[in-house]
Amino acid sequence: MQSKTKSALETLRERLTNGHYALGARLPSERSLCAALGISRSGLRKVLSRLEAEDLVWRHVGKGTFAGPRPALGSESFRIVTSKTNPLEIMEARLMLEPHIAAAAAQRASFQEIERLALCAKRNHEANDLETNEKWDVLFHETLVIATRNSLLIALYGGISKMRLSDEWCLRKQQWITPENWESFKKQHGSVVQAVRERDEAGAEKAMHEHLISVRQHIQSTYL
Amino acid sequence: MQSKTKSALETLRERLTNGHYALGARLPSERSLCAALGISRSGLRKVLSRLEAEDLVWRHVGKGTFAGPRPALGSESFRIVTSKTNPLEIMEARLMLEPHIAAAAAQRASFQEIERLALCAKRNHEANDLETNEKWDVLFHETLVIATRNSLLIALYGGISKMRLSDEWCLRKQQWITPENWESFKKQHGSVVQAVRERDEAGAEKAMHEHLISVRQHIQSTYL
DNA sequence: AACTACACCAAAATAACATTGGTGTCTAAT
DNA sequence: ATTAGACACCAATGTTATTTTGGTGTAGTT
């Protein structure tokens, strides 16, 4: 008879609206819930599908069923993003963040961090293979973000660094790196270090902006 | 005799500098390495400690020994950051990112996304409890970043959103939210939506900047 | 036609296991 | 007395196996 599933639907809808299941809370598994409600799993699943359509619950294999609307983002893992993104997206994000990071670093960097910055720049342009060069470059920019003393920024930038060590990025870099821009990057890094050393916030921001614009331009040229 | 450990040190230092062990590469485990070098584990560990002090290697229990300087970030997980950060750090990061995000969204948002933006703003100022208000506010800013079409930015912003739904943030918000700034936030959201609708990149960036400055100011007042 | 019972799948969480660097102790050699 | 080697143990981490979860289909029952 239909009354059973109907009453189960009412029961669950009640619990979801009156707070018996709090927003975002995990409901019992389907297998235990159907037993508790005295209906079959097939019947329960119809009820849950209905509730999901009403945005009262959301479900995910392996995780469970949860009260409330499906979270818009945050469900995606970083590994998934790796496959979706590309060097131009990375550069857009870096252009948003890093000039400000450089400014903050110029304000707060310790003497030790400034020396580390200079060391990374030195090792970077001394490197004779591309992979080593890129690793020291990543380390340079990481040191900069650490100098901001903002733990959230540091965590966020970790996501960008991971992307830059991915295979696709390195392959792309091989295409646009040349002895000429290798040399110009060296100068740009030097400008950033100098501005940070002189506590010149605006100068550091400008130097970093110019550096990233330069990098993006070389990347874009390989896309045409 | 001391000559054995001494020569082992030279051997390893050689391998680390000439690229036999690439930067960031993982060295064999201590147990296999000491056997390969023909010395005891205790002796090897002294050598490794020396090399670690010289920043030629770094070690971590359970992971192993790696060539190069210790990576500054990437080892920390996001959950750890949650406990370290605070509302002011969050606002600094948002001030770096979101004005640019608003500009990019103004350029690329679909009509559907613009409508969703307006809906979030409406629901936000219609809400009569703080939690619902915050939820719609988060959704407003998330919709904006999704409109940038930059999957890396979307992923990065997910980290910020998580922080804003944490307990500390909500407690803080209770302290600085008042009917007056509730009303002013409504106007600021409206300005952003309007600028995006008119494809006014500079206007969206400016409106978002002013909004976040306003929020930060109210937060700062509770810290004094 | 609607509900039940059952088997199977893939995604995800959880648990069990193995590996790694870190530390201390004891012995032997010099 | 000092040094180096051999060993046992620990906690952090990586790796693998197992279990749990929602998703799907089929056959039988009422």
Side-chain angles (χ1 to χ4, degrees), chain A residues 72-73 81 85 89-90 92 96 100 108 116 135-136 139 142 145-146 149-153 155-156 158, chain B residues 23 69-70 72-73 81 84-85 89-90 92 96-97 100 108 142 149-153 155-156 158 160:
Chain A
L73 58 101
V81 176
T85 195
E89 281 193 356
I90 296 176
E92 184 178 34
M96 289 184 182
H100 299 299
R108 303 166 202 164
R116 186 185 170 98
K135 281 177 183 168
W136 282 109
L139 216 55
E142 283 184 352
V145 71
I146 288 170
R149 300 279 188 280
N150 184 322
S151 56
L152 177 55
L153 272 181
L156 291 181
Chain B
L23 180 64
R70 180 180 306 274
L73 58 100
V81 175
K84 285 185 185 173
T85 194
E89 281 193 356
I90 296 176
E92 184 179 33
M96 290 184 182
L97 270 178
H100 299 300
R108 303 167 203 164
E142 282 185 353
R149 301 277 188 281
N150 185 321
S151 56
L152 177 56
L153 273 181
L156 291 181
I160 295 182

Side-chain angles (χ1 to χ4, degrees), chain A residues 23 69 71-74 76-78 81 84-86 88-97 100-101 104 107-108 116 119 131-132 135-136 139 141-143 145-146 148-163, chain B residues 22-25 55 69-74 76-78 81 84-86 88-93 95-97 100-101 104 107-108 116 131 135 139 142-143 145-146 148-163:
Chain A
L23 182 68
L73 58 101
E76 296 185 350
S77 171
F78 242 79
V81 176
K84 286 186 186 174
T85 195
N86 59 61
L88 285 180
E89 281 193 356
I90 296 176
M91 288 315 297
E92 184 178 34
R94 292 184 66 190
L95 267 163
M96 289 184 182
L97 270 177
H100 299 299
I101 287 176
Q107 188 185 17
R108 303 166 202 164
R116 186 185 170 98
L119 178 73
E131 195 179 340
T132 308
K135 281 177 183 168
W136 282 109
L139 216 55
H141 292 273
E142 283 184 352
T143 304
V145 71
I146 288 170
T148 65
R149 300 279 188 280
N150 184 322
S151 56
L152 177 55
L153 272 181
I154 294 171
L156 291 181
Y157 196 83
I160 295 181
S161 282
K162 272 182 199 157
M163 301 295 161
Chain B
L23 180 64
D55 266 350
R70 180 180 306 274
L73 58 100
E76 296 184 350
S77 170
F78 238 77
V81 175
K84 285 185 185 173
T85 194
N86 60 60
L88 284 180
E89 281 193 356
I90 296 176
M91 289 315 297
E92 184 179 33
L95 267 163
M96 290 184 182
L97 270 178
H100 299 300
I101 287 176
Q107 188 186 16
R108 303 167 203 164
R116 185 185 168 98
E131 196 179 339
K135 200 176 110 190
L139 218 52
E142 282 185 353
T143 304
V145 71
I146 288 172
T148 65
R149 301 277 188 281
N150 185 321
S151 56
L152 177 56
L153 273 181
I154 294 171
L156 291 181
Y157 196 83
I160 295 182
S161 280
K162 272 183 198 157
M163 301 294 162

Side-chain angles (χ1 to χ4, degrees), chain B residues 34-45:
Chain B
C34 67
L37 293 174
I39 61 174
S40 75
R41 203 177 150 211
S42 320
L44 173 66
R45 282 187 55 73

